[in-house]
Amino acid sequence: MMRRPILPFLALSALAGCTSSQSAFVPQGAEAERIDTLLRVMTIGGGIIFLGVILVTAFAMLGGRRVRALLSSERFINGAGIAFPTTVLTVLLVYGFLIMGAGATNQAPANGLRIAVSGELWWWRVTYTDPDGNSFDTANELHLPVGEPVSIELTSADVIHSFWVPSLAGKLDMIPGRTNTLTVTATQPGITRGQCAEYCGGAHAFMSFHVVAQPREAFDEWMRREAGLALAPEGEAAERGAELFLSAGCGGCHAVRGTGANGTIGPDLTHVGGRRSIGAGMLPNDAAAFRQWIVDNQHIKPENKMPAYDIFSEAELDDLSAYLEGLK
């Protein structure tokens, strides 16, 4: 009686993994395209070999005496059991090295753009540095120019994380005290999703991010806006929220450039209202989500470093949410 409800649940769970926003089967980057090609070659080749083994097994079981004698001969065993797999595996190994560029030295992009991503419990600190050496921080969202190789410097502030955007490239570990470099080239505009692929603690599954690939003109415009100071609050509610943000001590953990908030413990909130989600992919980006996160973040993402702020009145929560939503 209890088995029937499980079947629809399993089916829905399987379908949930079919979304193209975080799928290695829908490559949108040069590196992911090479991985996809290698996967298809090895899958098709492995399937053909598997069918061949099944046929040989069937002949060995059902064939006549002459067929069995042939299959058990020393020549057949040496050829099919030693020479054939050795040759195939060697060819596949060399092909895999060539197509994935194993051992190749990644060249720094000619445009001088540098992006550093630090994995933290449980969110992503993203630092952009332009060719002139100017830098700024953002969080949980990565923007890339289409058609240009970009080197992403990966590290961790606490435990081992793993940076993985299946649609763009393979995964690479983020290790405290070490910087690993991943070069990605987005081949088309669009929004994809990434995820931490190394268990890093209780909220590991709630540590995702978005990658936005844009044409160069749109990317430059985004860089210009994102590097700027926070917009002045519009409306009385947002103005009250800005004052409350500073007086309540939020600026001790979060930075809002152009204000007295210069904390570095938590994500930079200078343009948080313009991101696609809050809480590293946990909630949509609107006033209601900000309100929910402020008072219930420990339930949404257990053990994160932000305490649940239940000290605010309903009116104060409305003001704070209006201010944060307006930080576009």
Side-chain angles (χ1 to χ4, degrees):
M1 296 295 292
M2 297 299 294
R3 293 182 179 178
R4 291 183 179 178
I6 295 178
L7 296 178
F9 173 78
L10 292 177
L12 291 174
S13 299
L15 290 174
C18 296
T19 174
S20 61
S21 64
Q22 189 175 324
S23 174
F25 296 106
V26 187
Q28 299 182 39
E31 291 74 18
E33 290 172 359
R34 292 198 293 267
I35 294 173
D36 183 65
T37 300
L38 181 61
L39 171 66
R40 294 177 186 276
V41 169
M42 297 189 70
T43 301
I44 294 172
I48 293 173
I49 294 173
F50 176 74
L51 290 176
V53 172
I54 295 299
L55 289 175
V56 170
T57 303
F59 283 129
M61 296 175 61
L62 306 176
R65 181 176 300 176
R66 294 182 60 182
V67 173
R68 295 185 184 184
L70 173 64
L71 296 180
S72 61
S73 66
E74 185 175 347
R75 178 179 296 182
F76 182 83
I77 292 174
N78 289 336
I82 299 177
F84 177 75
T86 300
T87 302
V88 170
L89 291 176
T90 301
V91 170
L92 287 176
L93 179 64
V94 173
Y95 174 73
F97 283 156
L98 291 175
I99 193 172
M100 297 305 299
T105 302
N106 292 325
Q107 300 294 327
N111 56 25
L113 174 67
R114 291 178 53 205
I115 302 177
V117 180
S118 174
E120 311 202 8
L121 298 176
W122 282 274
W123 59 284
W124 309 86
R125 186 190 304 273
V126 185
T127 303
Y128 285 82
T129 303
D130 65 20
D132 297 326
N134 303 311
S135 65
F136 62 87
D137 282 355
T138 181
N140 302 322
E141 191 167 297
L142 191 63
H143 286 242
L144 303 173
V146 172
E148 301 180 24
V150 177
S151 294
I152 304 175
E153 301 170 2
L154 303 175
T155 189
S156 171
D158 33 61
V159 299
I160 296 177
H161 301 279
S162 187
F163 184 89
W164 189 31
V165 189
S167 297
L168 290 181
K171 63 184 70 170
L172 188 60
D173 280 351
M174 311 169 79
I175 303 171
R178 178 185 177 92
T179 299
N180 292 330
T181 301
L182 178 69
T183 300
V184 299
T185 307
T187 55
Q188 56 185 287
I191 301 173
T192 57
R193 189 174 181 272
Q195 177 71 41
C196 179
E198 176 78 23
Y199 180 73
C200 54
H204 159 70
F206 307 136
M207 187 176 174
S208 62
F209 59 97
H210 289 96
V211 179
V212 183
Q214 302 169 288
R216 169 48 79 167
E217 296 78 10
F219 175 77
D220 288 341
E221 176 61 22
W222 176 84
M223 282 276 290
R224 184 191 63 78
R225 293 197 313 269
E226 195 72 15
L229 302 179
L231 298 175
E234 296 183 1
E236 294 182 359
E239 291 175 356
R240 292 192 300 267
E243 295 175 0
L244 182 59
F245 184 88
L246 295 175
S247 63
C250 303
C253 292
H254 298 283
V256 179
R257 296 191 299 276
T259 73
N262 54 11
T264 59
I265 298 175
D268 187 299
L269 302 182
T270 303
H271 300 292
V272 64
R275 297 171 193 160
R276 281 162 174 74
S277 68
I278 63 173
M282 293 302 299
L283 297 173
N285 194 332
D286 54 34
F290 281 114
R291 181 190 182 100
Q292 182 181 1
W293 177 261
I294 291 170
V295 299
D296 203 24
N297 64 80
Q298 286 297 324
H299 175 73
I300 298 169
K301 184 174 291 191
E303 301 178 10
N304 82 87
K305 294 183 179 181
M306 178 175 172
Y309 278 86
D310 54 2
I311 60 174
F312 299 120
S313 67
E314 295 296 318
E316 288 174 329
L317 285 173
D318 289 339
D319 294 342
L320 268 176
S321 300
Y323 169 61
L324 293 172
E325 185 184 32
L327 294 174
K328 303 292 187 181

